[in-house]
Amino acid sequence: SLFDKLATSGIGATNLGSTYCNLISHWQTSTLQGTSLFCTVSEPDDARDDTEDFIVDSADVICTHEPKVESSSEAPIEFSKVDANLLPTVIIIGRPNVGKSALYNRLIRRREALVYNTPNDHVTRDIREGIGKLSDLRFRVLDSAGLEAEACSGSVLQRTAEMTGRVLARSQFALFLIDARDGLQPMDLDVGKWLRKHAPGIKTIVVMNKAESLHDGAGSLARAAGESYLLGFGDPVPISAETGLGMVELYEVMRPLLEEYMQRVLSDEGNQDNSPTEDEESKLPLQLAIVGRPNVGKSTLLNALLQEDRVLVGPEAGLTRDSVRAQFEYQGRTIYMVDTAGWLHRTKQDRGAASLSIMQTRKNLMRAHIVALVLDAEEIAKDRRSMKHDEVVIARRAVEEGRGLVVIVNKMDLLKGKLYERVIKAVPEEIQTVIPQVTGIPVVFVSALEGKGRTAVMRQVIDTYETWCLRLSTARLNRWLRKVMSRHSWKDQAAQPKVKYFTQVKARPPTFVAFVSSKAKLSDTDLRFLTRSLKEDFNLGGIPIRIMQRSVARSAGVSSGTGKSSQPTRKLVERVVSDKRTILTEAT
C-alpha cells in the first residue's frame, strides 16, 4: 500500500538538512504517516491529476506529531522520594492458588508471604501489605486471600471475602490474576463479577500468571490471552511470578497509570514538605511481635490495638498462618506490630503450610525489639499454672536473644470474683519463678474482645522499649558501683574483687563492662548481685542485661642491654556473661 511504501522509503525521519521525499500524490493536501510522525505536505498549484514525482524540501514539511519523548514541561515523578502514605495502593486479587503471594513476594523483593502449592486449601487468609518496587515505580501492594463466590455464610472463605471487600475501598488499582496454564475457569468469571460489583471505580489489570510454559510457539499463549478478554478488563499481561518473566511488560502497563494518579495527588498536595521533622526522627520505629500458643487471642489483640478489623479472627484454632505486619502511630512514634501464627513445637510430622508458619513465627521473634507473650487466663485458672512448656520456650528464647519481654494475660472477662483476683496475684509470682534470668517482667491483664487494657498494653510496651534503649553515663555508673560494693557483705575482704571502673558499651539490650584487677575475678554470684542491683537501682525490669568483665594483667618491664626499659605489655582476659551463655576470650 501507499503507507507501506512510505515507511520503507524512510518518510517521517527527521534530519537537520534537507529531507527529500519521493512520493506519489494526486490530492490537494496530503497527510502522510511515517514510522514515528505525521507530515503535512502542501502540493503546488500546478499539480496534475496524474501521478508524478517531485521533491519536497524540509522547510516545506510541517510536522504535527513528534516522536514520543518525555515531556519537558513536567518533570518525571521520582516515586522513591514520595511519602509512603501518598503512594498508590495496588491490590492483588484472584481465585485461590493462582500465585498471588508469589507475585507479592516478587514485587516487594522479599519472601514474606507463605507460598505453598495447596489446591484444596488456602494458605493466605489475611491481608498483607508492603511497598512494591518495580524498576523505578513505588506503590503500596496488598496480598489478599483467594476469593470463592460460592463460600458458605459464616465460613472462613466468606469472612476473608468480606475483609477483601473492605480493603478494596482504599485501593486505586487491582491486579486480577488468572492461571494461564489452566485457562479461564468459571471461578475466574465469578471473581470478575464480584470485582465489578464491589469496586466499579478501580482500574483493573488482568495478569496471566504461570505463563512461562506457554511460550512454545504453538499458539498456547495466544489462546489463553483470547479467553481472558471474556473478563472484560482489557488486554492481559502474561507473566511468571516465580521466574520474573513479563515484569517489563507489567511495568510498561502500570507506569502511565501510576504516574497519572501521582500527578493528581501531588497537585492536590501542592508544594507541601513531607520530610520528617526533628521530633519524628528522634523517635525510632518500634518492632513489636505478638506471640503465643494457638487460640489465645493474638489476632483479636492486634485488632483491638489498631481499633479496626485488620486480621481474620474466629473461634477456630490455628486460623492465622501468615505473620501479618501492621503499622500505626502511637504518641508520635511509628510502631510495626506483627501478628504471628500460634507457636507449636515443630515435629517431623509437620509438613506444608503449618511447618512454614512455625518457621516464620520464629524469624519474626528474632527481628522484634519487644516480644508480647499472650497467655490465656481461662486456661491458667483451669490448669492452675501460668505458663505451659511452649510459652516458657518463647519467653526464654526472647531473653536469650536480648529482646524486651512483656506478658499479656488475655480473656480476663471470662473470670469472675475470687478467681479473677487469684489469677492477678499468682501469675507475676509464677512467671518470675519460671524465668529467673530476668527480674521484674511486666504483666498486663486485658480483655481484647471487649477492648479493655489497650492503653495499658501500649504504655507498658513503650516503657519497656525505652528501658531497652537506655544508656547510662560512666560517671553515674561508677558512683553507683562504689555504693553497691560498700553495701555488699563480702565473706572475705581480701577476696573482694577490685573493680576499677564500670561502663556501658552498648544498648538494645544494655551491655556493661567491669574492668577488674588481674588477681581477682568476679564470680557468678558477684555478677548476679551486680545484675540484680542494676535492675533495682535503675528500674531495668523486664529486659535482659549483659555484663562482661575484663581483667588487665601488667608484666614488669625487663631492662635491655642499652639500659632502656621495655614498654609494659597488657593482656586482656575478657569474660562475657549474659543471660544466654558465658564466653572467655583473650587479647593482647
Side-chain angles (χ1 to χ4, degrees):
S1 63
L2 174 62
F3 281 12
D4 293 336
K5 294 180 180 179
L6 295 177
T8 57
S9 62
I11 294 298
T14 303
N15 300 319
L16 295 177
S18 299
T19 303
Y20 297 94
C21 305
N22 293 325
L23 52 86
I24 300 175
S25 175
H26 55 274
W27 54 81
Q28 189 68 24
T29 303
S30 303
T31 303
L32 306 179
Q33 181 180 8
T35 56
S36 59
L37 54 87
F38 291 92
C39 298
T40 301
V41 183
S42 299
E43 188 178 355
D45 297 335
D46 55 350
R48 298 190 304 269
D49 293 338
D50 54 345
T51 60
E52 64 177 0
D53 296 342
F54 63 93
I55 299 176
V56 182
D57 189 76
S58 61
D60 296 331
V61 180
I62 304 174
C63 298
T64 61
H65 182 74
E66 295 295 335
K68 186 177 179 180
V69 295
E70 296 290 343
S71 176
S72 59
S73 60
E74 296 183 359
I77 298 176
E78 297 185 15
F79 287 84
S80 59
K81 296 183 179 180
V82 178
D83 186 10
N85 296 323
L86 301 178
L87 291 175
T89 302
V90 180
I91 183 171
I92 305 174
I93 202 168
R95 63 180 176 87
N97 203 35
V98 294
K100 297 183 297 297
S101 296
L103 179 58
Y104 174 84
N105 290 339
R106 172 69 60 178
L107 292 176
I108 66 172
R109 302 181 183 180
R110 291 191 305 274
R111 288 187 174 271
E112 284 193 358
L114 295 182
V115 178
Y116 195 78
N117 186 14
T118 54
N120 299 323
D121 196 3
H122 303 265
V123 177
T124 303
R125 292 175 175 173
D126 294 298
I127 303 295
R128 296 183 63 94
E129 182 175 350
I131 300 298
K133 300 176 183 179
L134 193 60
S135 185
D136 59 340
L137 298 180
R138 298 293 184 272
F139 50 91
R140 302 174 70 176
V141 58
L142 305 178
D143 179 25
S144 64
L147 291 176
E148 286 190 11
E150 301 298 330
C152 299
S153 177
S155 63
V156 174
L157 295 178
Q158 195 264 343
R159 281 180 280 167
T160 56
E162 292 179 353
M163 183 178 298
T164 304
R166 290 192 296 266
V167 173
L168 281 174
R170 57 187 181 94
S171 302
Q172 291 79 40
F173 305 95
L175 297 180
F176 185 6
L177 254 67
I178 62 176
D179 193 332
R181 292 181 299 188
D182 296 342
L184 193 65
Q185 300 293 320
M187 195 178 297
D188 295 325
L189 297 174
D190 295 338
V191 173
K193 294 178 182 178
W194 185 92
L195 190 58
R196 273 190 291 269
K197 177 181 178 181
H198 291 81
I202 291 182
K203 174 61 179 177
T204 303
I205 302 172
V206 178
V207 179
M208 297 192 307
N209 192 24
K210 307 178 184 180
E212 67 275 7
S213 61
L214 300 183
H215 289 273
D216 52 4
S220 302
L221 185 61
R223 286 193 297 269
E227 293 178 353
S228 64
Y229 283 101
L230 296 176
L231 297 172
F233 293 111
D235 298 334
V237 181
I239 69 165
S240 172
E242 187 68 25
T243 63
L245 178 69
M247 289 293 109
V248 176
E249 288 76 9
L250 182 61
Y251 167 82
E252 293 175 352
V253 173
M254 294 183 63
R255 181 177 180 82
L257 300 175
L258 298 184
E259 284 185 340
E260 181 183 359
Y261 172 81
M262 287 306 306
Q263 288 174 359
R264 293 198 306 266
V265 171
L266 295 179
S267 62
D268 295 339
E269 291 289 328
N271 296 325
Q272 297 181 2
D273 185 10
N274 295 322
S275 59
T277 61
E278 293 182 0
D279 295 337
E280 293 175 350
E281 291 178 350
S282 61
K283 295 183 178 181
L284 298 176
L286 190 157
Q287 306 280 349
L288 173 64
I290 303 176
V291 297
R293 294 187 305 104
N295 208 28
V296 295
K298 301 182 296 298
S299 299
T300 307
L301 178 62
L302 178 68
N303 288 341
L305 295 177
L306 295 176
Q307 295 184 328
E308 63 172 308
D309 294 334
R310 178 64 177 81
V311 293
L312 189 66
V313 296
E316 300 89 353
L319 192 60
T320 302
R321 284 184 174 175
D322 265 311
S323 294
V324 182
R325 189 168 183 256
Q327 173 186 352
F328 79 111
E329 300 289 330
Y330 182 79
Q331 296 182 353
R333 186 190 300 275
T334 301
I335 298 179
Y336 296 99
M337 290 194 301
V338 180
D339 177 29
T340 61
W343 184 289
L344 291 173
H345 181 66
R346 187 182 179 189
T347 62
K348 294 182 180 180
Q349 287 75 23
D350 291 331
R351 292 290 186 272
S355 178
L356 296 176
S357 298
I358 297 173
M359 295 174 59
Q360 194 178 62
T361 300
R362 294 178 180 179
K363 289 180 180 179
N364 282 284
L365 185 144
M366 304 279 287
R367 298 172 183 170
H369 299 155
I370 305 298
V371 175
L373 176 58
V374 183
L375 308 179
D376 191 338
E378 188 178 18
E379 291 185 358
I380 292 175
K382 185 184 300 183
D383 299 338
R384 296 185 179 181
R385 61 174 181 173
S386 300
M387 303 176 70
K388 296 185 178 180
H389 174 72
D390 291 331
E391 294 162 341
V392 174
V393 170
I394 295 172
R396 289 180 177 175
R397 180 163 297 188
V399 171
E400 290 175 357
E401 296 298 333
R403 310 306 179 201
L405 181 62
V406 177
V407 177
I408 301 175
V409 182
N410 191 23
K411 304 182 182 181
M412 292 297 295
D413 55 302
L414 301 178
L415 304 182
K416 306 295 181 182
K418 295 182 179 180
L419 189 60
Y420 181 91
E421 298 177 356
R422 192 181 305 124
V423 169
I424 290 180
K425 181 180 179 181
V427 170
E429 298 177 356
E430 187 173 348
I431 289 177
Q432 191 59 60
T433 304
V434 175
I435 313 173
Q437 299 96 326
V438 179
T439 59
I441 297 176
V443 182
V444 185
F445 300 90
V446 302
S447 173
L449 186 62
E450 297 180 354
K452 296 181 180 179
R454 171 183 177 271
T455 304
V457 170
M458 293 311 304
R459 287 178 179 174
Q460 190 59 64
V461 168
I462 296 295
D463 292 343
T464 304
Y465 177 74
E466 292 178 350
T467 305
W468 190 62
C469 300
L470 182 66
R471 281 190 176 273
L472 301 173
S473 64
T474 303
R476 185 180 178 186
L477 286 172
N478 283 282
R479 289 194 298 268
W480 163 84
L481 181 64
R482 287 193 293 269
K483 295 180 181 179
V484 168
M485 299 297 284
S486 61
R487 74 181 184 220
H488 185 56
S489 57
W490 304 97
K491 294 182 179 180
D492 187 1
Q493 295 295 329
Q496 178 180 349
K498 301 291 196 284
V499 182
K500 295 185 176 181
Y501 64 95
F502 200 79
T503 185
Q504 183 178 359
V505 295
K506 180 181 172 295
R508 302 161 65 103
T511 304
F512 303 90
V513 176
F515 290 87
V516 298
S517 60
S518 60
K519 296 182 180 180
K521 295 181 181 179
L522 296 176
S523 63
D524 293 339
T525 303
D526 300 335
L527 291 173
R528 285 194 296 268
F529 166 73
L530 291 177
T531 301
R532 185 174 64 253
S533 300
L534 274 171
K535 292 183 177 182
E536 292 176 355
D537 296 342
F538 295 106
N539 194 19
L540 301 180
I543 62 172
I545 291 179
R546 297 171 178 174
I547 298 180
M548 302 182 295
Q549 59 174 324
R550 294 178 183 175
S551 57
V552 182
R554 290 177 176 269
S555 58
V558 181
S559 300
S560 60
T562 58
K564 296 182 179 179
S565 61
S566 62
Q567 295 293 333
T569 60
R570 293 187 176 185
K571 184 177 182 180
L572 298 180
V573 180
E574 181 177 335
R575 187 183 184 193
V576 183
V577 179
S578 67
D579 299 302
K580 187 173 183 180
R581 58 184 177 271
T582 302
I583 304 173
L584 294 178
T585 60
E586 292 188 3
T588 56

